[in-house]
Amino acid sequence: QVQLLESGGGLVQAGGSLRLSCAASGRTFSMYGMGWFRQAPGKEREFVAAISRSGSSTFYADSVKGRFTISRDNAKNTVYLQMNSLKPEDTAVYYCAAALATIPTQTGSNYWGQGTQVTVSS
């Protein structure tokens, strides 16, 4: 089992940047594919980005491609989401997810963090 704790959310103006972090408990972090999802008010949760266990493969939603970068540091049990050129439509609660031996998906058997709020003002 793994526990996830996100941090780094906040209020930023459009065009600004934020970096989210997700710290995982346990000694087996490198066995988990990691991902970020988000949920805006009144909308369903959606996929944002994911990274393979080694970090060699990354995946992005079209809406964030070229603006967001996912990375991980297995020595620190942490996954990051660097968000640049933020837009008001990026406003949401961002959730970290972990999936054993695979990439987290919307309907997969994931572990979830509690979420961190990102608000982008226009």
Side-chain angles (χ1 to χ4, degrees):
Q1 189 169 352
V2 62
Q3 293 182 325
L4 305 173
L5 182 63
E6 302 99 333
S7 62
L11 173 64
V12 64
Q13 288 188 333
S17 298
L18 281 175
R19 189 175 83 154
L20 305 183
S21 299
C22 173
S25 64
R27 301 181 180 179
T28 58
F29 180 70
S30 61
M31 294 177 62
Y32 290 83
M34 300 296 297
W36 290 94
F37 295 75
R38 67 186 182 187
Q39 187 167 20
K43 295 187 177 181
E44 293 187 352
R45 186 171 59 197
E46 65 176 3
F47 168 77
V48 176
I51 188 166
S52 62
R53 289 175 290 169
S54 67
S56 59
S57 298
T58 56
F59 309 89
Y60 296 94
D62 288 343
S63 59
V64 306
K65 204 170 292 184
R67 300 188 298 122
F68 290 11
T69 302
I70 188 171
S71 61
R72 66 189 295 162
D73 186 337
N74 285 347
K76 295 183 178 180
N77 284 14
T78 302
V79 62
Y80 305 97
L81 185 68
Q82 178 67 43
M83 305 185 295
N84 298 329
S85 302
L86 282 161
K87 305 175 181 180
E89 50 263 45
D90 294 318
T91 295
V93 177
Y94 282 71
Y95 296 92
C96 176
L100 184 62
T102 189
I103 297 294
T105 61
Q106 281 281 37
T107 57
S109 180
N110 304 326
Y111 294 99
W112 295 94
Q114 85 291 345
T116 185
Q117 176 71 46
V118 172
T119 302
V120 184
S121 63
S122 57

